[in-house]
Amino acid sequence: MAPLLHTHQIHPRTTLNRLHFLLYSLSLLLLLHHHTTTPSFLLLLADVFLAFLWLLSQGFRWRPVRRWEFPELLSKVTASKDFPALDVFICTTDPYKEPPVGVASTALSALAFDYPSDRLSVYVSDDGGSDLTLFAFFEAAKFARCWLPFCRENGVMERSPEAYFQSSGCDVEAEKMKVMFESLKERVDCAMEKGYVDLNLVNSLEEKEIFKTWKNFTRKDHPSVIQVLLESKKDKDITGHPLPNLIYISREKRPASLHNFKAGALNTLLRVSETMTNAPLILTLDCDMCSNDPYAPKRALCYFLDKDFSPNLSFVQFPQRFTGLNKNDIYNGEFRRVFTLGEQGLDGLQSANYLGTGCFFSRGSLYSSPPMAMPSFDEFKLHSCLLSSELILLKAHEVASSEYEHGRKEWGSQIGFRYGSLVEDYYTCYRLHCQGWRSVFCNPDRPAFLGEAPKSLVDAISQSKRWFVGLYQLKIFSMVTGLRSMAFCSFYVTHMILGKDEVLMME
Ligand SMILES: O=c1ccn([C@@H]2O[C@H](COP(=O)(O)OP(=O)(O)O[C@H]3O[C@H](CO)[C@@H](O)[C@H](O)[C@H]3O)[C@@H](O)[C@H]2O)c(=O)[nH]1
Ligand SMILES: [Mn+2]
């Protein structure tokens, strides 16, 4: 018999939630009945509306579940050399708002996952088309050769160098790593101050050639740039161990073409990675969300490798957790209700939301519906040629071009991450759930990923505004697409009202 890789339990608070539901419903009925005996019709209407919203929010409380995974038993199911390959997608947009050293640290934390290195690839999408970000990644690729063995040999858990050096005291070996990382930071900061990559900062001739071509690139107008920075088949760390793949991509941008924000960037990553490594599992990460637990991919595998559980499993979502919250979290930056409590409730109904980051997808689910048998992980073949070979790079540039989706309307509507809302995560998971895919919320005690919450009031309000505009876009969309979507629409109205509370709290 196959060992138990995961288990779950209905949350103990469920009984209390249901009792509360009964009592509250009774009081509501009494209140509404009372309104019918008073002359104020408007008051009745207002309370019916609020009662309706309350009713919709009860879905989150009806059957919350808690889950546990047993990654230590994975070896009884599959040898680690046969694990499905994993492609990690990291998105960044602006080197001044999202400092390249931070983005590179996030990538290093993913490169250092406890996962077979020939099955792990990290792709970075730079929507800023910035030479500063690429420069930081050239430096990070060199640093990875020492950093990865250091983490492995010392059992480091925080594998983002930025986070590690901020929180840990250093012994002699760690001190050496710190000096190397400081020198990396200095070189990148020097380029940041100048605003461009001075060729004196670059040592290798090949790198110099690349930065020479970076003329007149603007964020909205530049050709595609694809750079293989580390390649598992030929690059080794200082102990002779193969390194994972690391690839930098800046998709082509032209003022006349629609780029569909982050969803567009993710779809380019989907296509480029398909031409290169085509891993059956994908992890999406925001550039400010680094790994805090190198074993997180193995936790996700506990679900994907469970044959009885996986046929219609689209994604495994980890919560967004944060560092750097200000004292008492006065801007409610943690969003616990949305990112943890709500997710446990939705998981109980088999439909945890996709939160945009910290989410492991099965690639197959982004291309098809569950009744079509999902290809087994073994059917995703790895290329035998080098990723940096001319043939592969040619194909990769073709699928990263701004014209590629013209005439291929299925992108963003039937396949890939869905277009049409600023909250592409909510919209994409809604469409996947409509197709019959299910999802899981995985919330281990040690946060798997840690990000930065907005620190100032202005940032907090601007983030909320973006989310609510995105949710309103969904509402309008759902109104024109029929009844099934209406359920979704009302569901998200609840979210919006909850959200408004949070904005009010901030003021
Ligand atoms: O055109 C764009 C816009 C954004 N991004 C990246 O998308 C991520 C999220 O954008 P951010 O501005 O940080 O949005 P937040 O509101 O902080 O993000 C939350 O909300 C978004 C919309 O729902 C989700 O995509 C995110 O994963 C989720 O963390 C960042 O890594 C950006 O670099 C792009 O790659 N291209
Ligand atoms: Mn963010």
Side-chain angles (χ1 to χ4, degrees), residues 98 286 288 320 452 463 466:
E98 301 166 335
D286 283 351
D288 55 2
Q320 287 206 28
E452 291 212 358
Q463 185 185 55
R466 199 157 6 94

Side-chain angles (χ1 to χ4, degrees), residues 91-93 98 127 262 286 320 356 424-425 463 466-467:
C91 291
T92 182
T93 341
E98 301 166 335
D127 261 356
K262 184 181 172 192
D286 283 351
Q320 287 206 28
E424 79 300 325
D425 41 1
Q463 185 185 55
R466 199 157 6 94
W467 288 357

Side-chain angles (χ1 to χ4, degrees), residues 392-412:
I392 292 192
L393 284 180
L394 204 71
K395 185 82 191 135
H397 277 283
E398 186 188 324
V399 296
S401 94
S402 61
E403 299 277 299
Y404 184 81
E405 288 183 9
H406 294 178
R408 292 183 173 90
K409 293 277 170 257
E410 63 281 14
W411 279 99

